[in-house]
């Protein structure tokens, strides 16, 4: 139980801090640039795996306190918690469990979500500034910053939705499902090396190609 609690409370950005520290001794000369995609892919897989395991740990902890929840959640198996619907279900269940313990709770307030967004923005900036990862992919990082400026509290943790269903479900359908989840599967199942349908020039000039970005 203690291990679960420690893991649940460990921020996912700890993976970024470890990566930055691990790369700090190799410099950022042109000879190091070929390492970029290999290291970024490794970090990406660690972070997606970290999130999936954290979701499972949250479920296991909730199940030790609520036997009805345990029966409903585990009778058909927990699954891998990798798809968006899995994450959204767990977020919804977490909100419902909070309501059981605190009947006055309805949803996370604008102030709480504003703090999450502000703290996350500052932490990402502080982790990446003046690092190998930034120098290797400076253009991609600035594209990420432009993208991040468009994210507001209306995009996440709205009511019982993990990612708010507004603005044409932009984060859910375009960022998570079309780019993040698809690339996670490519990397996790090692199919990048056997894929024949490489991006065409049409794909490369498409406006959405900018979302093929590890920082995002």
């Amino acid at each position: 139980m203690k291990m679960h609690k420690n893991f649940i409370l460990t921020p996912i950005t700890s993976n970024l801090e470890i990566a930055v520290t691990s790369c700090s001794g190799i410099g950022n000369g042109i000879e190091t640039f070929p390492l970029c995609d290999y290291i970024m892919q490794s970090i990406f897989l660690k972070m997606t795996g970290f999130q999936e395991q954290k979701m499972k740990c949250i479920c296991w902890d909730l199940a030790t306190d609520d036997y009805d929840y345990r029966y409903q959640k585990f009778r058909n198996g927990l699954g891998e918690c990798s798809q968006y619907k899995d994450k959204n279900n767990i977020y919804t269940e977490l909100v419902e469990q909070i309501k059981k313990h605190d009947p006055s709770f309805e949803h996370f307030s604008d102030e709480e979500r504003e703090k999450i967004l502000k703290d996350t923005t500052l932490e990402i900036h502080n982790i990446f500034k003046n690092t190998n990862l930034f120098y290797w992919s400076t253009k991609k990082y600035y594209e990420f910053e432009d993208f991040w400026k468009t994210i507001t509290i209306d995009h996440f943790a709205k009511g019982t939705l993990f990612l708010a269903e507004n603005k044409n479900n932009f984060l859910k359908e375009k960022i998570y499902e079309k780019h993040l989840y698809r690339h996670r599967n490519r990397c996790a199942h090692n199919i990048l090396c056997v894929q024949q349908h490489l991006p065409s020039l049409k794909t490369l000039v498409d406006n959405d190609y900018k979302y093929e970005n590890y920082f995002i």
Side-chain angles (χ1 to χ4, degrees), residues 7 10-20 39-55 80-82 87 120 123-124 127-128 133 144 148 176 180 184 187-188 213-216:
F7 178 59
T10 300
I12 195 169
T13 48
S14 63
N15 289 267
L16 294 175
E17 292 169 346
I18 293 169
V20 165
I39 291 174
M40 291 294 242
Q41 187 178 126
S42 177
I43 299 168
F44 177 64
L45 282 177
K46 283 178 180 291
M47 292 184 75
T48 55
F50 184 98
Q51 190 179 53
E52 290 163 16
Q53 293 303 319
K54 179 173 285 204
M55 291 286 179
E80 293 303 317
C81 300
S82 61
K87 292 179 171 64
T120 302
E123 189 166 15
I124 291 173
I127 288 173
F128 283 124
L133 303 180
F144 157 74
W148 194 252
Y176 191 93
L180 187 150
R184 175 261 184 201
C187 297
N213 182 327
Y214 283 112
F215 294 111
I216 293 177

Side-chain angles (χ1 to χ4, degrees), residues 57-157:
C57 283
I58 289 172
C59 289
W60 291 331
D61 261 24
L62 293 178
T64 61
D65 291 328
D66 187 327
Y67 287 2
D68 289 333
Y69 172 80
R70 182 171 68 181
Y71 173 73
Q72 293 294 331
K73 191 68 181 176
F74 289 92
R75 63 176 176 170
N76 295 318
L78 183 57
E80 293 303 317
C81 300
S82 61
Q83 297 185 53
Y84 171 77
K85 66 178 182 179
D86 301 325
K87 292 179 171 64
N88 190 69
N89 286 341
I90 293 170
Y91 172 76
T92 301
E93 292 158 3
L94 182 59
V95 171
E96 292 304 317
Q97 289 294 317
I98 294 173
K99 288 181 180 179
K100 282 187 178 183
H101 289 277
D102 180 6
S104 66
F105 178 85
E106 293 185 9
H107 51 74
F108 295 105
S109 68
D110 289 353
E111 291 76 16
E112 288 170 319
R113 291 186 295 151
E114 194 70 63
K115 185 177 187 304
I116 291 171
L117 186 58
K118 183 179 178 181
D119 290 349
T120 302
T121 303
L122 183 62
E123 189 166 15
I124 291 173
H125 174 75
N126 288 340
I127 288 173
F128 283 124
K129 69 178 181 181
N130 300 322
T131 66
N132 303 63
L133 303 180
F134 170 77
Y135 289 119
W136 288 337
S137 301
T138 303
K139 180 176 181 290
K140 289 289 188 180
Y141 184 78
Y142 286 139
E143 287 176 347
F144 157 74
E145 282 195 329
D146 289 340
F147 162 80
W148 194 252
K149 291 173 185 175
T150 68
I151 304 301
T152 69
I153 63 171
D154 288 330
H155 282 96
F156 67 95

